[in-house]
Amino acid sequence: MGATLRALRALVLLLGFYLLSLVLLAALVGVDIAAFTWGHGPVVFKLGFVTVLLAIPVVRGMLMLRTPKGEDGPGIDVTEAAEPRLWALVREVAAAAGTRAPDRIRLTGEVNAAVSEEPRLLGLLPGPRRLYLGVPLLIGLTEAQLRSVLGHEYGHFTGGDTRLSALVVRGRVQIGRVIEQFHERADGKAAADRGKQERAAAKRVAKGKKAKAVDTSGSGAMYRVMAAIYTQYAKLYLRASLSTARGQEFAADQVAARIAGRDATAAMLREIPALSVSHGFYLDSYATLGLPARLLPPRGEFFGGFGRLLTAREQELERLRTELPEETEDAYDSHPPIAERVRRIEALPADGRAEEATGPALALLADPQRTLAALEDAVLTDEVLAFGRATGWPELLNASMASGLSAARTPLHQALADYTGQPPTLAALLETVDDGRLWQLADRLPLSPEASAARGRARREFARPVLRRSLRTMVLAEFSARSLLSWEFSWSRPAEVRLPGETTTAAGAGAAPEAALEAALDAVLADQPDTGALRALLPPAPQPV
């Protein structure tokens, strides 16, 4: 579908909203006329009041004359003077695409790239253009793959997609606003009716009468009917506009392949989903690791550490690149499945263009470290920026684990407190075990219905894994509280605990402390519990002065 036909479709969809609104307003006016013609008394005025209330959200939606402007979101704008190499690439790809380069480049913290335009007269006249470029893409992509990303985004410019978005966005926002107002009024009416019924019920109870059940199922019914009408049109609107958007993505991929080459574009399309998954994992497991301890990574490493993770987990990334997710196409998704996009590009004839610029795209920045630090200031909240800074990732890990262990409250903590009526300390637990009451304590653990119904040995087997996890946490917390615990940091595998020194136990002379700990835990949770090995591992309790 050409740009002209897409513009016509967007205009028809928008006019359909106004037509639907006019029809509903005419219906409300018709109800009022009929009521005043054949009706009489207070009912007529009440009906007129209701129709006015129903008409207000419709009129408000129709009178939204300006297309809402999207917010830039957190990020930093970079000038051509500050980043000449990045701007040179941006302008070069724009010239190759045959379109006007963006007026602004904004770096963000997301695994995403996008373009926007602020056209005038609903897209009839061009306006300022912006390019949004996620720094995680610069970290994870090569320069050739970034060139393909830019070619794809400029494909939206050459296809007129950004200029037509004003019409599409305006319709979506107007319909959504009307639906939201009707739901708000329906919810307000239900809340008012509920309060009224609850007060009436309280009065009946005070008089010794039986209270009626509160029922608001019919409250705000007319508002919900009006919302349902607009919701059905919204579904039609979204299906029509988003099907066009999916076609635009395919067309933009073709532009990227023409500019950057087939192989670089296919590699880019395979790389971005892998980067997206990896970045989510990185944020959860590394970048925000120290937040519970009010500690941040070293300056610039909140985003910069992502590159270290990618280097260390290259094999996992290769699997993600190869095994693309087979998504089911959704009528309400603006992007087609990534696997289908890759198949279409890789089916193109070979163009003889190998991936030319294989260096990291981050090297295009004049001073990557400075940019990464500035992005932290723009993206993170003031509260988080006030946290301390770790000197390195190992310190961040140790501080985070110490904070987590000190605040840990396992199911065993709660069960022990309920059973003994005392603070749930490790010492109290070991005394309970030595008194032969471990399995009575285990009966207070929250277990599955199947486990709770079991008896004897079967019940112990269900309870043992819960006990072991909780007991291990309590022991590690004890070591951590004495500053005798450390964690081995790694980019390629989960953190591993490191206990102090070597230990001579039943596990053998010179046994590794970690192995000795696991053996001691097994002994405590055996059918005939024995706390001796675990007590031998624990540091002596501090003596009062």
Side-chain angles (χ1 to χ4, degrees), residues 202-460:
K203 290 181 179 179
R204 290 182 62 87
V205 171
K207 295 177 180 179
K209 299 179 180 179
K210 184 178 179 181
K212 295 181 179 179
V214 175
D215 181 11
T216 60
S217 57
S219 301
M222 289 303 301
Y223 291 124
R224 300 193 192 280
V225 169
M226 294 289 283
I229 294 173
Y230 277 99
T231 298
Q232 291 304 312
Y233 186 74
K235 291 180 178 179
L236 170 65
Y237 191 100
L238 287 173
R239 290 174 70 95
S241 60
L242 292 178
S243 65
T244 299
R246 291 191 292 275
Q248 293 167 354
E249 293 301 319
F250 285 130
D253 287 343
Q254 296 291 326
V255 175
R258 176 174 62 83
I259 293 173
R262 182 196 67 174
D263 292 348
T265 300
M268 176 271 292
L269 290 173
R270 287 183 175 276
E271 191 72 32
I272 288 181
L275 291 179
S276 181
V277 172
S278 301
H279 192 251
F281 171 75
Y282 167 74
L283 289 179
D284 291 340
S285 304
Y286 289 89
T288 59
L289 179 65
L291 294 189
R294 301 181 65 82
L295 201 63
L296 286 174
R299 179 79 169 159
E301 285 291 286
F302 189 90
F303 291 104
F306 183 46
R308 306 177 193 275
L309 176 79
L310 296 180
T311 301
R313 302 197 180 225
E314 176 59 31
Q315 291 184 346
E316 296 175 51
L317 282 172
E318 186 58 35
R319 179 177 54 80
L320 291 174
R321 297 182 193 113
T322 304
E323 301 173 3
L324 292 175
E326 289 292 341
E327 307 160 286
T328 303
E329 187 165 338
D330 189 345
Y332 299 104
D333 196 341
S334 62
H335 285 62
I338 192 69
E340 175 61 23
R341 294 172 64 187
V342 170
R343 277 193 290 268
R344 292 196 181 200
I345 293 300
E346 292 182 343
L348 294 175
D351 51 19
R353 300 175 60 183
E355 193 170 323
E356 297 147 358
T358 58
L362 190 66
L364 290 168
L365 300 180
D367 187 345
Q369 187 64 25
R370 181 192 63 195
T371 302
L372 293 171
L375 188 63
E376 289 181 2
D377 296 336
V379 172
L380 302 181
T381 65
D382 291 339
E383 179 185 0
V384 171
L385 288 172
F387 291 175
R389 293 277 183 176
T391 58
W393 288 98
E395 179 193 347
L396 187 72
L397 172 64
N398 280 305
S400 172
M401 298 304 290
S403 174
L405 287 171
S406 66
R409 289 297 178 267
T410 67
L412 185 55
H413 281 86
Q414 185 62 50
L416 184 61
D418 293 342
Y419 186 68
T420 64
Q422 302 295 325
T425 64
L426 180 60
L429 174 63
L430 296 181
E431 289 179 10
T432 302
V433 175
D434 287 340
D435 290 343
R437 296 179 292 162
L438 172 63
W439 300 112
Q440 291 90 328
L441 171 63
D443 288 340
R444 295 177 177 263
L445 291 173
L447 301 175
S448 66
E450 181 184 4
S452 299
R455 293 292 179 268
R457 184 174 183 82
R459 186 180 180 87
R460 291 184 183 184

